[in-house]
Amino acid sequence: MRDAPAVDIARMLQEQGASVRAYDPVAMLVAQPLMPGVEMFTDPYSMAEGCDALMVITEWNEFKQLDLELIRDSMRRPVLFDGRNIYDPLKLRQLGFDYRGFGRGYNGQANNGVKQPEPAKAAP
């Protein structure tokens, strides 16, 4: 847990003035002393309530099975950063999320991982 990216990310966000909340289905007791000032929650739905953005940085199956509409409706702004690319970008956008998948690229048109159709080629 000491080397988990969540610890460094939380610390960096706090240094920039963010209020940070966290939920982990397994490592909460281990994480809490490593992340002072981070508000810990016992479920992802109460953690998401009123948030301006969520960052998923684990691949736990529980996160793949979330009721994303409930999450979206509880947030102040439906912004989701997907650090493990566990979600389908098109589906998340269709649900109304401002979605960013790490490492998927960004072309300035918010397609972020959504495969765009190839332009039609002219016949010779």
Side-chain angles (χ1 to χ4, degrees):
M1 180 77 213
R2 290 187 190 281
D3 296 327
V7 175
D8 293 330
I9 291 169
R11 190 173 297 126
M12 194 169 47
L13 288 169
Q14 287 175 310
E15 288 170 0
Q16 296 299 313
S19 297
V20 179
R21 298 170 149 197
Y23 166 73
D24 187 299
V26 175
M28 294 297 285
L29 293 176
V30 175
Q32 195 155 19
L34 299 173
M35 300 167 71
V38 173
E39 188 177 2
M40 301 292 188
F41 285 80
T42 58
D43 73 89
Y45 299 101
S46 59
M47 190 273 314
E49 193 172 325
C51 285
D52 291 312
L54 295 179
M55 184 175 292
V56 178
I57 49 180
T58 184
E59 296 168 320
W60 288 108
N61 281 333
E62 178 175 346
F63 291 98
K64 296 174 186 176
Q65 307 302 320
L66 292 175
D67 180 340
L68 294 171
E69 290 180 21
L70 183 60
I71 294 280
R72 177 201 62 211
D73 292 345
S74 73
M75 296 177 70
R76 186 176 311 154
R77 293 178 29 210
V79 176
L80 194 143
F81 295 94
D82 184 357
R84 299 295 185 184
N85 295 308
I86 64 173
Y87 300 114
D88 177 338
L90 184 57
K91 179 181 177 187
L92 270 280
R93 287 206 184 81
Q94 288 171 341
L95 287 172
F97 281 91
D98 180 359
Y99 174 85
R100 296 288 184 266
F102 291 20
R104 288 193 169 172
Y106 180 70
N107 72 359
Q109 297 181 13
N111 76 339
N112 191 235
V114 178
K115 188 118 171 124
Q116 299 298 313
E118 296 283 327
K121 294 183 182 181

